[in-house]
Each structure stands twice: as structure tokens, then as C-alpha cells.
Amino acid sequence: MDKLVSETLATVPPDKDAGATAYRRSRRLTPAFLAELNRVFDRHNGKAHDRSGKIKRDCSSATRDHRRTEIRTVFSDLAGLGYPLRHPENLGMRHLDCLAKHWRDKGLTPQTLNRRFSMLRVFCTWLGKRQIVRDLCDYYPHNPEAYKRTGIAKMNRSWEANAVDPLKMIEQAKAIDERYGLYLALQHHFGLRVKESIQLEPLRSATDKLDVLEVFAGTKGGRPRVLPITTAEQRDVVEWAKRVAEQTRGSRIRWPGLNWVQAQTRFYNLTKRRLGMTRKKLGVTAHGARHGFAQREYTAKCGMKTPLEGMNPKQVDPAAHKQACLEVSWELGHGRTEVTSFYYGSHGHKLRQPRTWVAKGAAV
């Protein structure tokens, strides 16, 4: 098999893009191995993963594609390191140790490593050998804190907190391209994701009264949601979106003639190269609009500053805090309130109510 791997690698022309890289990597794997790997994916890859096994819903096509790509990368990297496995089930702990060292030497970021080992954990669960994937800190004991992943914000990523005027930024974007400015306005005023703002169909999503906006195109996991329109600024943005949609064949406000992938590429090119919005230059990214929306909504709903803004936990009403997190989570398109800590921090265990101990036999 080593001879086969070297021969296939030798026949691949030099690559200059990600597509060619993926092609070259796939050539490291034999057709028989790829067939077995595809059988594993066909059997398991359609469902969302959950440790408890209670979640049986289908996962998105993007998740399925990411799993295939990451796991193929794992086995092709192993083949390149001199471990061309005959069957996917032969994957063992020594292979993962070798990959961990290889990826560290390659300079992969902690975020990429966390994602890759997360995919590996799912894949090994399908094989019935989840125990072979250890915590990321066990692979990198020299600096475990650098590889520890947390969902609690420690730094405020909103535009406002980093001295970036949202309205001024939207006007600059509009001067570059009207639709581009509209996308940023939707992200700022409604907390939409980039894909949701580009794929929005305002002629179908907004009612005639302009009291709610239904978001169903481009949502994460295909989960639709209905957002209330409560301010004059929000109504102005929806009317703007309707005017743009009327100029386009179809109901979407996406750039005409572009599919979603092309529109996404154009959006980020304009953000980085024309608007100059990068973390290095301005300290924020486009996603900061969503952070700002979450923080403003939290304060509006419970009348308190966010944990990230230094709110004293002793002055927090736990019931109001919980309800605000629930509503903000829904408006952001998430299904769990814990996700809101990524946008505005968390009070941790400080809001837990003290336990009341009752003596055995005492009347309650």
C-alpha cells in the first residue's frame, strides 16, 4: 500500500487552491478504503450528534459536508505520515497521538484543533470506540490553557465597545455597494447572521403592518424564527430591503447573478478590503454587529447591563436575567440559553440560589 500511496501522490499536479489540495489529499486513499469510509458516513452521517443519544433530528447538509471533509483529512494525513490504514475501524490511539503532534507542528490554531478533534470524537462514536479520543489538553500538556475551549466571552466583540460607530459603518458600506450596506444594517438592527441577511426574502418575510420579520432562508439548522419589529430604525431597514428586493428577479436581496457561495465571498472581500473591517485594523469583525444586537436586547428586556459590561451579580434579578437570556437566544436563532454567554458573558454560579437544608423528620 505504501507503493500505491507514493505512486498516486506522484501523479497529482501541483495545486494552488483549496480544491486542488482536497483532490490531492483524496488521492492518498485507496478506492477500497474510500468505499468503506463512505459506507460509514451513509450509515451515520445524517443525524445530529448527542452524547446522551436522545437527539434524533437530522443535521444540516453543511454539517454533513464538514464531517466528510475533516475525517478524510484525518486519514489522508495519516497516510502521508506513513500510516495508510486498510479499514477506518483500524484507527487507534497511537494514530491520534501522531496526528496531534503533526497538526501542532503544522501550526494549526486551537480553534481548528478543537473542531477537528470534535469531528473525530463523533466519528469514533460511530465506530463504537469513542474512548480513544481524549481531551485536547491531554495531547498538549505543555500549555493546556491555550487549547481549552470556552463559550463564555471574556472580551467585548461588539462594534460599540470598540469605538466603531455602527450607523457610520453602514453608511460607508452603502456608499461602496447598496446591498452590502443593507446586509450590515440587517445584522446590526436584527442580529441576523451573514447568510441570513444575504438570503433574506423581505417581500415574503415582512408583514404589511411591518410588525414582525420572519427569518427562514439561510438559517442555521433550518430553524425559522419570527423577530418583532419595535423601532422606527428597524422599520426603515425592512422598507429598504423591500425596495431592493423589488429591483431583483425573485424575492431574495442577494446580489443578482451570484449563488450563495459567491455572495459570501464577495461580502467578506468587501468587508476586509474595501471597508477595512478586520480585528487587526478596527478590533472588530462583521460578526460584532450580532454581538451588539444581543447586548442591546438583553439590556432592553431586563433593564440591566450585561455580565460582560461589569454588572454586579448581587444586583441581578435571577428570574429577569433568565427570561432575557431565553428571549435573546431565540432572537439570535439558537436553541439554548447557554449560547448567549458567548455574546455578553455569564455570571456563572453567582446567581445560584443557596440550598435550604431541612432536618430529617422536621415538618416542611
Side-chain angles (χ1 to χ4, degrees):
M1 185 171 290
D2 291 336
K3 182 179 180 181
L4 176 60
V5 170
S6 61
E7 287 177 352
T8 53
L9 284 174
T11 60
V12 178
D15 61 305
K16 295 184 179 180
D17 56 21
T21 300
Y23 169 78
R24 186 179 65 179
R25 284 177 171 171
S26 67
R27 294 284 290 176
R28 292 177 179 174
L29 306 175
T30 65
F33 181 88
L34 287 174
E36 284 199 38
L37 191 59
N38 287 334
R39 278 194 288 271
V40 175
F41 279 112
D42 292 342
R43 192 180 310 123
H44 301 283
N45 199 23
K47 298 295 181 181
H49 175 70
D50 181 66
R51 291 185 182 183
S52 66
K54 296 179 180 178
I55 297 180
K56 300 299 183 183
R57 62 178 172 83
D58 294 340
C59 64
S60 68
S61 59
T63 299
R64 293 195 291 268
D65 292 341
H66 288 159
R67 285 174 179 173
R68 285 183 180 270
T69 301
E70 293 291 348
I71 297 305
R72 280 194 175 190
T73 299
V74 167
F75 286 108
S76 62
D77 282 356
L78 275 176
L81 293 170
Y83 296 97
L85 303 182
R86 289 183 176 275
H87 309 284
E89 292 79 3
N90 293 347
L91 185 67
M93 294 183 68
R94 66 190 181 98
H95 300 126
L96 300 186
D97 292 339
C98 182
L99 285 169
K101 182 179 183 303
H102 170 66
W103 291 334
R104 182 196 62 195
D105 296 342
K106 205 174 174 183
L108 297 189
T109 64
Q111 291 84 357
T112 300
L113 290 170
N114 270 285
R115 184 183 70 248
R116 193 159 288 180
F117 275 96
S118 175
M119 297 288 185
L120 264 171
R121 192 169 289 109
V122 173
F123 182 77
C124 289
T125 301
W126 297 344
L127 301 180
K129 48 198 314 184
R130 184 183 183 278
Q131 70 282 357
I132 70 171
V133 185
R134 295 173 289 169
D135 290 336
L136 200 60
C137 298
D138 294 332
Y139 294 107
Y140 308 106
H142 61 288
N143 189 12
E145 290 300 320
Y147 296 94
K148 187 176 293 184
R149 192 176 187 179
T150 176
I152 300 176
K154 301 297 183 183
M155 183 181 298
N156 199 327
R157 301 292 187 185
S158 69
W159 292 355
E160 297 91 332
N162 290 274
V164 174
D165 186 342
L167 300 183
K168 183 179 178 181
M169 194 61 60
I170 291 170
E171 285 301 316
Q172 291 178 4
K174 185 179 179 181
I176 296 171
D177 183 289
E178 183 183 13
R179 291 176 190 260
Y180 174 56
L182 175 58
Y183 302 149
L184 289 184
L186 288 166
Q187 293 165 35
H188 171 67
H189 289 287
F190 290 97
L192 301 190
R193 299 180 177 93
V194 171
K195 187 173 185 179
E196 293 169 345
S197 65
I198 294 177
Q199 299 286 78
L200 187 71
E201 302 179 25
L203 298 178
R204 296 174 54 195
S205 299
T207 60
D208 294 335
K209 295 181 180 180
L210 294 183
D211 54 349
V212 294
L213 179 70
E214 184 180 359
V215 183
F216 52 84
T219 59
K220 191 172 184 178
R223 296 189 298 268
R225 63 186 187 277
V226 178
L227 302 176
I229 300 176
T230 58
T231 67
E233 291 81 4
Q234 287 180 323
R235 293 188 185 91
D236 291 342
V237 172
V238 174
E239 290 177 347
W240 178 13
K242 283 189 169 186
R243 290 195 301 271
V244 171
E246 288 171 352
Q247 303 169 8
T248 311
R249 180 181 297 178
S251 55
R252 285 197 178 113
I253 58 174
R254 188 174 66 202
W255 281 295
L258 300 184
N259 59 32
W260 152 239
V261 175
Q262 294 168 332
Q264 179 189 38
T265 301
R266 184 173 185 178
F267 176 88
Y268 285 111
N269 281 339
L270 291 175
T271 301
K272 295 177 182 178
R273 299 176 183 176
R274 296 289 301 278
L275 198 61
M277 183 186 292
T278 63
R279 193 160 291 163
K280 186 176 182 180
K281 291 182 179 180
L282 298 181
V284 296
T285 63
H287 197 66
R290 199 163 146 85
H291 283 249
F293 172 82
Q295 293 171 21
R296 293 193 305 273
E297 286 297 298
Y298 173 87
T299 300
K301 293 180 186 304
C302 66
M304 299 178 288
K305 291 183 179 180
T306 65
L308 195 59
E309 295 172 303
M311 184 65 186
N312 187 348
K314 295 181 180 180
Q315 300 176 349
V316 174
D317 180 353
H321 168 77
K322 184 177 180 180
Q323 182 62 28
C325 288
L326 183 66
E327 293 179 15
V328 171
S329 175
W330 167 257
E331 291 183 1
L332 291 173
H334 290 290
R336 296 176 294 117
T337 57
E338 295 85 354
V339 178
T340 58
S341 63
F342 175 76
Y343 296 93
Y344 49 68
S346 171
H347 291 300
H349 299 313
K350 297 176 183 177
L351 296 185
R352 282 188 174 181
Q353 298 296 322
R355 293 182 178 181
T356 302
W357 298 97
V358 179
K360 186 176 181 179
V364 179

